[in-house]
Amino acid sequence: MSPRIASARPAAAPAGRSVARHGWPPALAAVVAALVAMAVVAAVGLWAAGASDLPKGAFLPVVLATVVTAVGGTVELSGNAGDLARTNAGLTVVPLSVTLVGALTVAGGFLRPLRHRAVAGARELAGWAARIAALWVLALLGFALGARHTFALDVGSGTLSDLTGLLDASPRVGFTTDVPLTVVLGLLWLAGILLLALLVSPGAPLPGRLLRFQASVRPAAYAMVVLLLSYVGLALVAALVVMVTRGHGRETLAVVLLGLPNLAWLALTLGLGATWHGRIDGPFGLPVPHVLAEVLRTPDVSTLNLRTITAHDGRWWWLAGVAAVLLLAVAFLMAVRSPARIRPWQHALHLAIALALTMPTLCLTGRISAHYGLSLLGIGDLGGNLSGQLLLDPELWTAVGLGALWGLVAGFLGALPARPVHRPGEVTPA
């Protein structure tokens, strides 16, 4: 072997060098960076949404509660309005902008010590993940315990105000967290992110027994991540255009920092033909295009899909066109990143499975349910600005089936133009 060829090879890692030698500081840095990034995004987004006007001492608990819900935790609402009245409230929503920032940050911190490694043992990877998980639990406990507060609702002036004062029924609504459930769900969220990071990153090491699966799993997982981030990127461009052309800068910033992926991935599911059921009632609103709000603001629960949207405005068929173009693009990308020996029908199967698994994730994290109301003397909600309902719920299994069907078609068609493309690492015959 010539000295020039020998020197061109990367130096082998020192014997015994492993993730375990890095100890706890990198794990602490990964957890702190993720939680700080999430808290900053949540705080700025809530400020833009007007949460800075909340009563004194309420802003920080609301920020902590937002981070908790972003990682799968649960926030429970409670109400009190004296002996002769009651308040009731419920809220289920995931601020996916905060979730996305946390996922990217903690995944980056997890993968950083693993770079430049070809293979890592399962015990080594589990130990490294366990360090991050232990610190994550401690931090999540602190966030969950701090995410609690009680608000007094303003009933305005007039007869209702006099009545609530006379009956000592001033309404109050508070929130707290289910700490054990939050820790469990937060750990499951973290485990999913770390597993996805290993699947997506081409430079991350895998245990030797799993190497045979990387040719089929990694390109498909990477294609799904690119698809989701592409939709978020397009939604961000649209939000910036709206901010520049129509104003509403603070409101648009709130949407970007709290719920941009919620809207982007809702558009993806609608473009693939999925159906949602929803309703907007009372003072509630959704930061969605006007046509979607029109479909949902009805006396009863309404159906939201391409058919109902285009019945209001036929131009919205572009949702299906964007979905088709981006799916074909990521199918081509998946095929290019796969070994040349994999056939088009296999690419179709891989993308169908990946998209079928992605759709329930988008549907379950995109659900919204909110309700609040005040009743006196056992008489239901008093209406006006003291009651409202917001609902958005998917047809889950229909979405899964449509994802599999789109994946089969796009995976096969996207693989055809990729067949003559040279793959990295391939040896071209002389």
Side-chain angles (χ1 to χ4, degrees):
M1 178 184 297
S2 70
R4 179 173 297 178
I5 295 177
S7 63
R9 293 185 174 181
R17 177 179 174 86
S18 67
V19 175
R21 291 188 59 188
H22 291 275
W24 289 90
L28 179 62
V31 171
V32 170
L35 290 174
V36 168
M38 296 173 76
V40 169
V41 170
V44 178
L46 290 168
W47 166 83
S52 57
D53 298 330
L54 292 172
K56 185 178 180 180
F59 184 72
L60 180 58
V62 171
V63 171
L64 296 179
T66 303
V67 175
V68 166
T69 57
V71 298
T74 60
V75 174
E76 299 176 345
L77 301 182
S78 60
N80 190 328
D83 296 331
L84 300 178
R86 66 181 178 87
T87 59
N88 57 84
L91 177 65
T92 301
V93 63
V94 180
L96 288 178
S97 292
V98 182
T99 303
L100 182 59
V101 168
L104 294 175
T105 307
V106 76
F110 173 69
L111 292 174
R112 182 174 177 78
L114 300 174
R115 64 193 188 280
H116 310 313
R117 301 280 304 281
V119 180
R123 181 178 299 178
E124 180 182 347
L125 290 175
W128 173 229
R131 287 185 178 86
I132 294 179
L135 295 171
W136 184 259
V137 167
L138 294 177
L140 202 57
L141 279 172
F143 274 62
L145 292 173
R148 54 188 64 196
H149 199 78
T150 302
F151 302 90
L153 293 180
D154 183 11
V155 297
S157 58
T159 304
L160 182 57
S161 177
D162 296 338
L163 187 58
T164 57
L166 177 64
L167 298 176
D168 190 23
S170 298
R172 300 177 66 84
V173 173
F175 66 88
T176 186
T177 53
D178 185 334
V179 176
L181 185 58
T182 292
V183 170
V184 171
L185 295 177
L187 270 177
L188 290 176
W189 179 88
L190 178 67
I193 295 302
L194 300 186
L195 177 61
L196 185 61
L198 282 176
L199 292 178
V200 170
S201 175
L206 290 175
R209 295 180 179 179
L210 299 181
L211 289 177
R212 66 179 183 271
F213 297 110
Q214 66 178 348
S216 58
V217 174
R218 272 189 166 165
Y222 182 82
M224 290 299 97
V225 171
V226 170
L227 177 66
L228 298 183
L229 293 181
S230 297
Y231 262 88
V232 173
L234 290 176
L236 179 59
V237 171
L240 294 177
V241 170
V242 170
M243 187 183 298
V244 171
T245 58
R246 301 184 184 179
H248 309 292
R250 188 164 172 171
E251 293 84 353
T252 305
L253 180 63
V255 173
V256 169
L257 294 179
L258 294 176
L260 189 66
N262 298 69
L263 300 178
W265 298 339
L266 173 64
L268 168 59
T269 62
L270 291 173
L272 296 180
T275 295
W276 295 69
H277 300 285
R279 185 189 180 204
I280 300 175
D281 177 53
F284 279 122
L286 276 176
V288 297
H290 181 66
V291 63
L292 271 67
E294 282 186 341
V295 174
L296 293 174
R297 194 171 286 280
T298 56
D300 298 314
V301 175
S302 57
T303 300
L304 181 67
N305 53 30
L306 274 180
R307 181 181 57 80
T308 58
I309 295 172
T310 53
H312 284 74
D313 188 342
R315 295 173 297 179
W316 281 83
W317 279 109
W318 64 264
L319 288 174
V322 171
V325 170
L326 288 181
L327 263 182
L328 287 173
V330 299
F332 175 81
L333 178 64
M334 180 189 72
V336 168
R337 293 173 66 90
S338 302
R341 67 177 183 274
I342 297 181
R343 299 176 180 178
W345 69 266
Q346 293 174 302
H347 288 301
L349 185 60
H350 295 165
L351 191 63
I353 295 173
L355 193 54
L357 292 175
T358 300
M359 290 295 281
T361 303
L362 300 183
C363 291
L364 293 175
T365 57
R367 293 183 304 171
I368 299 176
S369 176
H371 169 80
Y372 76 91
L374 170 66
S375 63
L376 290 173
L377 303 174
I379 303 172
D381 290 339
L382 295 180
N385 288 327
L386 295 178
S387 67
Q389 182 183 24
L390 179 61
L391 176 68
L392 193 61
D393 201 41
E395 288 186 5
L396 184 59
W397 296 112
T398 302
V400 172
L402 287 168
L405 181 60
W406 276 85
L408 282 173
V409 176
F412 184 84
L413 296 179
L416 296 179
R419 297 182 72 179
V421 177
H422 178 74
R423 270 65 164 182
E426 279 188 337
V427 177
T428 304

